[in-house]
Amino acid sequence: NAGVTQTPKFRVLKTGQSMTLLCAQDMNHEYMYWYRQDPGMGLRLIHYSVGEGTTAKGEVPDGYNVSRLKKQNFLLGLESAAPSQTSVYFCASSPGWNQPQHFGDGTRLSIL
Amino acid sequence: GIQVEQSPPDLILQEGANSTLRCNFSDSVNNLQWFHQNPWGQLINLFYIPSGTKQNGRLSATTVATERYSLLYISSSQTTDSGVYFCAALPYSSASKIIFGSGTRLSIRP
C-alpha cells in the first residue's frame, strides 16, 4: 500500500517553462490537496479537490492550475514557471473534509 | 482568517529530556493535527486531536478547544525525535482549508 505518491521528486526548470506535478493516492480518498512549503515556514494550501471532477482555490492559488480527472490523481500545473515558485510541493489526501490528511514525500522544484 | 502560532520556534535538548510544544489558534476549529517533519523532509501524522487527550508511546497531545490551544508532549527524547513539529488547524469558518503554524524546530543532542 503506497499511500500518497508524488512524481517527480526533484525538478529544475528555467523561467517560463511549464510542467505538471502528479499526485496519486491508493486509499480511495475523496479529498486531495496541493501545498507549498517555503524555507522556515509551514505549508500553505494552493488548491484542493473535494472529489473527482472538482477543484477549488486555496490560500495561494495564483500561477497554478489543477485537475482531478480521476479520483486517485490530482495534477498541479505551472504554465509559465517563475523563480518565486521555487519551493517544496506536498500533496495530501483525506477521506473527508474533517478527517486526517496523509502526505506524500514532496517534490523539490527549483526555477532558475 | 485564523492565526495558528507555535512556540517555541526552536528547542535544543539533551537526549532523555522531556519537552512541551504549544499551538495557539485564534478561532474555533473543527480539527487539529500534529505532524513531524523529519530531517529528510517527510511529513508524518502524529495526532488528529480536535479535543481531549491522546497518547502514542512517548508522545501525547492535548487540545483544549474552548481555550484555543493544543500541547504536544515528548517524553524521554531520542535523537530520532529531531525535526520540525507542525500543528495544523481546520477552522469552522473555512471548510477544507487547513492552516499550518510555522513550526517548532526540535534538536535532540546525544
Side-chain angles (χ1 to χ4, degrees):
Chain A
N1 191 345
V4 179
T5 303
Q6 293 184 228
T7 310
K9 297 189 185 308
F10 306 94
R11 186 73 185 268
V12 178
L13 291 178
K14 294 181 179 179
T15 298
Q17 287 185 317
S18 63
M19 80 160 295
T20 300
L21 279 65
L22 171 64
C23 176
Q25 53 98 1
D26 62 3
M27 297 174 284
N28 201 35
H29 286 173
E30 289 293 333
Y31 283 59
M32 296 187 74
Y33 315 81
W34 275 107
Y35 296 88
R36 62 177 287 172
Q37 184 180 28
D38 298 308
M41 297 178 66
L43 279 68
R44 291 183 293 169
L45 183 64
I46 305 171
H47 286 281
Y48 64 100
S49 168
V50 303
E52 182 177 317
T54 74
T55 63
K57 294 181 180 180
E59 188 182 354
V60 288
D62 294 341
Y64 304 95
N65 56 75
V66 288
S67 64
R68 183 101 182 266
L69 299 180
K70 293 183 178 180
K71 185 177 183 178
Q72 64 267 34
N73 295 337
F74 195 29
L75 278 62
L76 177 71
L78 286 73
E79 290 187 349
S80 180
S84 61
Q85 293 177 306
T86 293
S87 190
V88 180
Y89 291 84
F90 286 94
C91 176
S93 70
S94 65
W97 70 276
N98 195 18
Q99 299 295 314
Q101 296 188 15
H102 301 267
F103 284 80
D105 288 343
T107 294
R108 188 173 297 275
L109 183 61
S110 295
I111 315 295
L112 304 178
Chain B
I2 190 173
Q3 303 296 315
V4 180
E5 297 180 350
Q6 293 186 242
S7 60
D10 295 279
L11 189 58
I12 301 174
L13 298 172
Q14 288 295 126
E15 199 168 23
N18 302 328
S19 59
T20 301
L21 283 58
R22 187 176 180 102
C23 174
N24 291 334
F25 38 93
S26 61
D27 202 353
S28 299
V29 297
N30 277 308
N31 76 46
L32 192 292
Q33 282 187 261
W34 282 97
F35 297 91
H36 174 215
Q37 187 166 38
N38 64 24
W40 296 271
Q42 296 171 315
L43 276 165
I44 300 162
N45 273 308
L46 296 177
F47 294 101
Y48 170 77
I49 185 166
S51 63
T53 297
K54 290 185 178 180
Q55 181 154 8
N56 184 3
R58 295 181 295 104
L59 276 62
S60 64
T62 296
T63 297
V64 183
T66 54
E67 297 187 19
R68 299 181 182 172
Y69 73 89
S70 184
L71 302 173
L72 177 69
Y73 305 96
I74 305 174
S75 64
S76 303
S77 299
Q78 300 176 359
T79 55
T80 52
D81 294 331
S82 295
V84 183
Y85 290 80
F86 290 103
C87 67
L90 177 63
Y92 277 122
S93 60
S94 184
S96 298
K97 292 185 182 180
I98 196 168
I99 304 296
F100 277 75
S102 56
T104 292
R105 182 172 298 276
L106 178 64
S107 299
I108 305 298
R109 305 295 193 212

